[in-house]
Amino acid sequence: MVPSGLLDAPARVPDPRDRRGRRFALATLLAVGVCAMTCAGHNSLVAIAEWARRCEQEVLARLGCPYDPFAGCYRVPGERTLRDAFARVDPAALTAAGFARLAKLRPPPLAPSAPDGTRERGQRRTHREMTRARTPAVNGSFDDVSAGQTDRTSVKRMIPRLGLPNRHIVGLT
């Protein structure tokens, strides 16, 4: 079964193929690949094409496959069609569309809590966020201060080298 909105995310990926001769929409081909890889675990284009060939007509209709009135059924993309489409698609656009879809499925963030499970107070949370924000360059720059030069002026001289413009360092004013 195809989740609702599955064709919306791949529809945002620009189609690099020539308009002439297109039998399948790019969103349909990408959705076939996603369903075959996630549901059935197929990881090659041959396996994806075989999965699509074994699909029921209802699934092909929900994936957006075109209907063939002469044959009286929905068309199935072949391995060559999938290979050509997947080779030409822009990976960055495909990734952006996939992450946009996943972002909608992400649960809302939980309230911050301490390791013991209690709710964090504001002061503790601020300290934790500041410690995470430190970069190795900031931590490594304080090695320049020798044991005898821990006064405010030597630290104030280091601040421009840290690359932190317009920042206040608490305790140096």
Side-chain angles (χ1 to χ4, degrees):
M1 181 169 239
V2 181
S4 63
L6 178 66
L7 292 175
D8 297 339
R12 285 186 243 131
V13 178
D15 195 347
R17 303 175 297 162
D18 190 14
R19 288 186 178 190
R20 295 172 290 178
R22 283 189 204 168
R23 289 188 177 93
F24 295 92
L26 182 64
T28 297
L29 298 174
L30 295 175
V32 166
V34 167
C35 288
M37 284 190 262
T38 55
C39 301
H42 299 299
N43 58 1
S44 71
L45 291 172
V46 175
I48 293 171
E50 288 175 5
W51 177 84
R53 206 173 309 122
R54 290 189 305 261
C55 274
E56 297 176 6
Q57 290 292 305
E58 179 184 328
V59 174
L60 293 174
R62 293 196 63 195
L63 286 171
C65 292
Y67 184 75
D68 186 3
F70 296 113
C73 61
Y74 289 93
R75 290 186 174 187
V76 178
E79 185 249 335
R80 177 66 188 250
T81 304
L82 291 167
R83 187 174 301 280
D84 288 344
F86 285 12
R88 292 183 185 173
V89 79
D90 181 24
L94 182 60
T95 304
F99 279 124
R101 169 78 177 148
L102 291 175
K104 291 178 184 176
L105 300 175
R106 183 179 55 194
L110 300 174
S113 61
D116 61 355
T118 59
R119 190 165 165 79
E120 271 189 329
R121 288 185 229 131
Q123 196 174 28
R124 188 187 310 166
R125 183 175 52 243
T126 305
H127 173 71
R128 182 177 43 84
E129 290 171 358
M130 287 177 62
T131 3
R132 283 186 187 164
R134 288 185 188 155
T135 59
V138 173
N139 290 335
S141 299
F142 287 101
D143 295 340
D144 296 340
V145 179
S146 65
Q149 288 186 327
T150 55
D151 59 342
R152 282 190 238 185
T153 55
S154 62
V155 174
K156 282 184 179 180
R157 282 192 304 249
M158 278 193 312
I159 290 175
R161 293 188 310 183
L162 296 176
L164 300 172
N166 301 326
R167 303 274 183 179
H168 294 298
I169 306 296
V170 178
L172 294 180
T173 55

